[in-house]
C-alpha cells in the first residue's frame, strides 16, 4: 500500500503544478477599457470556443477534477 500511496502522491504533486501553471497562463475575464469602445468584439472574442484560451479553460477543469479526486483518495486512511 505504501508504494501505491507514493505513486498517487507523485501524480498529485504533478497535477498541482500543472493546475497552478494553467491558471497563471489564462487571461483575465474583465473587459477593461476595451468594452467602452467596443474592442471586446474582436476576432478572438467571436471565435473564443476554438481558441487557445478555451483549451486552457478545459484543461484547467480537468486538472481541478483530478485534484479533487486525488485529494479524496489521499485522505483515506489505509
Amino acid at each position: 500500500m505504501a508504494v501505491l500511496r507514493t505513486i498517487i502522491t507523485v501524480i498529485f504533486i504533478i497535477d498541482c503544478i500543472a493546475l497552478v501553471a494553467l491558471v497563471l497562463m489564462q487571461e483575465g475575464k474583465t473587459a477593461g477599457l476595451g468594452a467602452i469602445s467596443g474592442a471586446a468584439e474582436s476576432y478572438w472574442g467571436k471565435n473564443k470556443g476554438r481558441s487557445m484560451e478555451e483549451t486552457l479553460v478545459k484543461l484547467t477543469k480537468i486538472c481541478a477534477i483530478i485534484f479533487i479526486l486525488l485529494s479524496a483518495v489521499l485522505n483515506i486512511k489505509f
Side-chain angles (χ1 to χ4, degrees), residues 45-61:
K46 293 176 185 174
N47 295 320
K48 193 168 185 164
R50 296 181 296 218
S51 68
M52 182 60 116
E53 181 68 25
E54 185 63 28
T55 305
L56 289 175
V57 170
K58 288 178 185 176
L59 287 175
T60 303
K61 289 178 185 177

Side-chain angles (χ1 to χ4, degrees), residues 3-65:
V3 173
L4 181 61
R5 189 168 186 88
T6 304
I7 292 171
I8 293 174
T9 304
V10 169
I11 294 171
F12 182 70
I13 292 170
I14 292 170
D15 184 53
C16 290
I17 293 169
L19 189 59
V20 169
L22 285 170
V23 169
L24 290 176
M25 286 172 47
Q26 292 181 19
E27 294 179 8
K29 299 295 181 193
T30 59
L33 292 176
I36 296 172
S37 65
E41 282 298 319
S42 65
Y43 173 77
W44 298 112
K46 293 176 185 174
N47 295 320
K48 193 168 185 164
R50 296 181 296 218
S51 68
M52 182 60 116
E53 181 68 25
E54 185 63 28
T55 305
L56 289 175
V57 170
K58 288 178 185 176
L59 287 175
T60 303
K61 289 178 185 177
I62 292 169
C63 282
I65 292 169

